[in-house]
Amino acid sequence: MSTDGAGAPILVLNAGSSSLKYQVLVPETAEVLVKGLVERIGEDGGPGGAGVADHAAAMASVADQVAQVGIERDGLRAVGHRVVHGGPDFSDPVLVDDAVVDDIRDLVPLAPLHNPGALAGIEAARAAFDVPQVAVFDTAFFATLPAAASTYAIPKEVSAQHRLRRYGFHGTSHRYVSRAVAELLDRPLDSFDQVVLHLGNGCSASAVAGGVAVDTSMGLTPLEGLVMGTRSGDVDPAVFTFLHSQAGMSVADVDTMLNKRSGLKGLAGANDFREVLARAEAGDEDATLALDVYVHRLRHYVGAYAAVLGGLDVLTFTAGVGENSPALRACVVANLARLGIAVDPARNEASSREARVISPEGSPVTVTVVPTNEELEIARQTAALLAGGR
Ligand code: ADP
């Protein structure tokens, strides 16, 4: 084994306020040794209850699972943590120490729904595993956004005082997928411009010029941009004022409505894309409108980012919906042939779990489907940091 532990597995953690997703994998081979999810953290349950008391208890359960597959605690190379918000300063992964924990805590006002869970996960993992801990930020890939794309047109002293800007999220996925596209096409990353559509429960688009992110649809928070499972994406910000003054809703009520009761759920009553699609195919009008709004917004962003990039070489679909729904992909590219964008019906419909091209041979824009793998990307970035590679 080399001094930086190459070959040893890395534990990747994605801690939320009430859940802890984990995966132990070897970044060099992508081999997954064990993975799972501890849910209902903080719901101690009592007799027969399924919850666990806190993140420390959840981490003890993860340590048990890790031990059960024969990995000693000190047999891990490191723990890599997904941290949603890196704020203005974290543009790369960092080795976690007390100062970094304080810095992540300082970002809680920017990500009150997300960073507290990550912090609890980091604290628990530091206590449970005496190996290097690395934080990988979901915003980091978008630190390269030019000011024109990251700046809100509001008074600059307000932005400066409160660190308001477009940060972007899902960056770990957009980074992984944009690099996987270069591998799939066997083209140097810096030789082409691409748009990546990450369509899962959360949805985001990115414009990537020669491997460098230049625009993305999520903003200060993951609420902006595309229509999502339960989030509205773009709305006129005056919706807040209107619903407050006309409907008597509090700011917190509107925030909850836009984050939890909007998107596909708000329009069709279901946040699961498959369910909305099935209902639309059965003739349900609400589901049909929900899909139309979802697709319209996607086409809007594809066109916008083709303009931002000054032309497009590759369009990629990823995450649950993007990887698995030929119908959605066909709708997004319908009638875009004049922009050079089309899919080959047989290639689009073919069932596969591999990265693949679905546009016709010789198409001006190459359309691809690339499965995302955020855990592998976090493990790779963790390994690279330890090896001094970045
Ligand atoms: P998350 O953002 O939680 O990681 P995923 O990337 O797993 O989510 O995506 C979940 C979404 O993918 C759900 O809306 C689900 O309906 C959708 N999805 C999964 N499989 C299919 C499929 N075969 N066809 C259409 N949508 C699918």
Side-chain angles (χ1 to χ4, degrees):
M1 196 181 289
S2 70
T3 49
D4 61 30
I10 290 177
L11 169 62
V12 173
L13 295 175
N14 180 356
S17 54
S18 64
S19 69
L20 177 62
K21 248 171 116 175
Y22 63 94
Q23 197 171 112
V24 177
L25 71 167
V26 180
E28 288 78 15
T29 59
E31 185 192 0
V32 177
L33 304 175
V34 61
K35 64 178 179 177
L37 172 67
V38 183
E39 288 181 288
R40 303 181 62 188
I41 300 173
E43 297 174 30
D44 200 358
V52 293
D54 54 20
H55 283 78
M59 203 61 67
S61 153
V62 171
D64 277 352
Q65 296 301 317
V66 171
Q68 276 187 21
V69 293
I71 305 165
E72 303 290 329
R73 289 189 188 205
D74 59 4
L76 290 171
R77 192 183 328 178
V79 181
H81 296 268
R82 174 177 188 245
V83 180
V84 167
H85 215 308
D89 297 326
F90 288 118
S91 54
D92 283 305
V94 286
L95 206 52
V96 174
D97 58 16
D98 291 344
V100 167
V101 169
D102 286 345
D103 288 344
I104 296 172
R105 187 168 295 118
D106 182 50
L107 295 169
V108 165
L110 286 173
L113 301 178
H114 295 105
N115 275 23
L119 274 170
I122 288 172
E123 301 281 20
R126 289 178 86 193
F129 300 98
D130 189 19
V131 296
Q133 313 267 330
V134 173
V136 177
F137 299 94
D138 221 22
T139 47
F141 183 56
F142 299 116
T144 53
L145 255 52
S150 66
T151 307
Y152 287 116
I154 61 176
K156 63 182 188 181
E157 61 280 8
V158 174
S159 295
Q161 186 183 350
H162 300 288
R163 301 177 290 188
L164 301 188
R165 50 162 279 188
R166 306 188 61 256
Y167 288 100
F169 299 87
H170 290 157
T172 304
S173 174
H174 285 276
R175 182 186 154 96
Y176 174 86
V177 169
S178 54
R179 276 145 185 76
V181 167
E183 269 178 45
L184 170 70
L185 303 179
D186 198 18
R187 290 173 70 174
L189 183 62
D190 60 6
S191 71
F192 64 97
D193 295 334
Q194 49 179 324
V195 167
V196 176
L197 303 176
H198 175 113
L199 310 176
N201 282 313
C203 300
S204 60
S206 68
V208 181
V212 177
V214 295
D215 211 344
T216 193
S217 58
M218 285 177 166
L220 174 71
T221 78
L223 182 57
E224 192 176 341
L226 299 171
V227 176
M228 314 185 204
T230 65
R231 297 186 201 128
S232 61
D234 296 333
V235 289
D236 184 337
V239 160
F240 271 91
T241 328
F242 182 91
L243 288 176
H244 179 63
S245 60
Q246 302 298 317
M249 288 174 73
S250 70
V251 168
D253 288 343
V254 182
D255 189 58
T256 303
M257 181 195 85
L258 294 175
N259 275 293
K260 307 242 187 247
R261 295 194 289 118
S262 295
L264 295 176
K265 188 173 187 189
L267 291 173
N271 64 294
D272 189 288
F273 188 85
R274 271 168 299 197
E275 192 176 333
V276 179
L277 191 60
R279 283 203 213 157
E281 283 167 358
D284 181 292
E285 283 182 19
D286 289 344
T288 302
L289 177 62
L291 282 185
D292 287 349
V293 177
Y294 185 97
V295 169
H296 179 81
R297 188 82 53 83
L298 272 167
R299 289 163 61 86
H300 173 103
Y301 271 93
V302 170
Y305 287 174
V308 164
L309 292 165
L312 187 59
D313 299 302
V314 183
L315 172 66
T316 299
F317 291 88
T318 191
V321 177
E323 291 167 29
N324 296 303
S325 180
L328 180 276
R329 296 192 296 257
C331 287
V332 171
V333 305
N335 303 324
L336 295 186
R338 278 198 293 168
L339 296 181
I341 304 171
V343 295
D344 174 86
R347 288 179 170 184
N348 183 38
E349 297 284 339
S351 164
S352 167
R353 299 239 153 264
E354 303 297 315
R356 59 203 183 271
V357 172
I358 58 168
S359 47
E361 211 61 54
S363 196
V365 175
T366 305
V367 183
T368 70
V369 177
V370 174
T372 192
N373 193 337
E374 290 168 83
E375 288 81 7
L376 179 56
E377 180 66 24
I378 290 172
R380 283 179 177 170
Q381 292 196 31
T382 299
L385 178 76
L386 294 182
R390 54 178 303 160

